[in-house]
């Protein structure tokens, strides 16, 4: 499959994902493209990364773990206990393996879309933020303000998303991956420094 064939990617995803996840995926691709326009990122890369970010979301935990085992993809203890987190790692692997994506920035954007990481590229930030604000999302607090913020100051939106995610996890939403914590600390530091 050619990397730039958005239609083919969509067709395959429509088969591999349930309808709710497929709709979410189209929303993330659309908002990733809008953010790419706003911040000057590559439009096609943003759409491809948005489309593929959850490509491993509808596999079973068993399947995700077996793909990791088979292909020597390392699993952290937190991922072992919370295998849904692996949809990002396995998604990045499938993007390269099955969808023949060769652009490392697209692969990184898929890999880091759930926890983020310190020093994300523009494309990684775009997919991370688009995932949270796409029009089909309804549950998260502060969505209205974060949606506006995303088009004004991407880093500020990123920080707010991380803060709200950590708050949700601390209130019983799940075990915090150190990467999520590290990403938050990094951007908190980074943004307070940039205000000086
Ligand atoms: O796959 P999506 O639902 O579209 O979005 P996602 O990949 O960002 O996953 C969202 C969920 O991931 C959300 O419920 C918060 C959760 N999450 C983010 N960071 C962590 C986390 N869950 C755990 N257990 N630990 C984390 O550090
Ligand atoms: Fe996801
Ligand atoms: Fe998603």
């Amino acid at each position: 499959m050619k990397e730039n064939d958005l239609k083919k990617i969509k067709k395959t995803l429509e088969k591999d994902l349930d309808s709710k996840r497929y709709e979410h995926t189209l929303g993330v691709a659309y908002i990733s493209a809008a953010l790419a326009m706003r911040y000057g990122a590559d439009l096609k890369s943003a759409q491809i990364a948005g489309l593929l970010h959850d490509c491993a979301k509808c596999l079973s935990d068993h399947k995700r773990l077996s793909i990791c085992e088979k292909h020597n993809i390392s699993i952290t203890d937190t991922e072992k206990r919370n295998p849904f987190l692996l949809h990002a790692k396995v998604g990045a692997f499938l993007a390269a393996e099955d969808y023949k994506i060769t652009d490392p920035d697209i692969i990184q954007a898929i890999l880091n879309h759930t926890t983020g990481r310190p020093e994300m590229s523009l494309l990684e930030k775009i997919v991370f933020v688009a995932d949270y604000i796409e029009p089909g999302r309804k549950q998260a607090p502060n969505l209205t303000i974060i949606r506006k913020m995303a088009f004004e100051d991407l880093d500020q939106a990123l920080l707010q998303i991380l803060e709200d995610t950590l708050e949700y996890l601390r209130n019983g939403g799940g075990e915090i991956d150190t990467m999520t914590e590290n990403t938050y600390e990094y951007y908190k530091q980074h943004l307070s420094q940039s205000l000086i």
Side-chain angles (χ1 to χ4, degrees):
M1 179 182 289
K2 273 199 211 122
E3 173 170 340
N4 59 7
D5 198 339
L6 292 173
K7 265 196 185 138
K8 268 191 189 158
I9 293 177
K10 280 187 203 168
K11 254 201 180 123
T12 310
L13 285 171
E14 199 172 8
K15 280 186 241 127
D16 286 354
L17 301 175
D18 61 46
S19 64
K20 219 177 121 199
R21 186 58 45 179
Y22 182 63
E23 287 300 318
H24 163 70
T25 282
L26 296 181
V28 176
Y30 186 71
I31 298 302
S32 295
L35 290 170
M37 289 176 192
R38 162 68 179 84
Y39 293 105
D42 184 75
L43 275 185
K44 190 146 261 175
S45 300
Q47 289 174 90
I48 294 174
L51 282 176
L52 289 175
H53 82 286
D54 274 341
C55 70
K57 188 79 179 186
C58 293
L59 301 176
S60 65
D61 284 344
H62 178 77
K63 180 80 183 164
R64 281 193 276 263
L65 287 162
S66 76
I67 289 174
C68 288
E69 203 168 308
K70 187 168 170 202
H71 299 280
N72 287 321
I73 300 169
S74 66
I75 301 174
T76 65
D77 287 342
T78 309
E79 287 167 342
K80 225 174 264 173
R81 289 188 291 269
N82 305 274
F84 86 93
L85 286 170
L86 284 173
H87 79 276
K89 246 181 205 178
V90 174
F93 171 78
L94 294 179
E97 194 75 4
D98 292 354
Y99 291 87
K100 309 296 179 205
I101 303 300
T102 52
D103 181 342
D105 201 19
I106 296 178
I107 302 294
Q108 286 296 312
I110 300 168
L111 181 65
N112 298 307
H113 85 266
T114 302
T115 61
R117 70 167 174 105
E119 297 187 65
M120 280 190 271
S121 71
L122 176 59
L123 185 66
E124 287 175 270
K125 289 178 190 174
I126 283 174
V127 174
F128 184 91
V129 171
D131 192 18
Y132 199 86
I133 66 168
E134 65 93 1
R137 291 275 198 212
K138 288 182 181 70
Q139 301 247 308
N142 303 321
L143 255 184
T144 306
I145 188 160
I146 292 173
R147 280 179 169 142
K148 189 165 186 284
M149 205 189 275
F151 288 90
E152 292 165 357
D153 185 335
L154 191 63
D155 282 351
Q156 202 67 48
L158 183 69
L159 185 65
Q160 191 61 51
I161 291 168
L162 287 160
E163 194 174 305
D164 289 354
T165 299
L166 285 170
E167 169 88 359
Y168 161 77
L169 293 170
R170 282 199 192 95
N171 289 330
E175 178 186 349
I176 294 171
D177 191 307
T178 48
M179 189 61 101
T180 310
E181 188 94 60
N182 291 346
T183 308
Y184 173 67
E185 290 302 329
Y186 173 86
Y187 282 100
K188 202 170 84 173
Q189 185 82 2
H190 177 80
L191 288 180
S192 60
Q193 273 177 0
S194 70
L195 290 176
I196 296 168

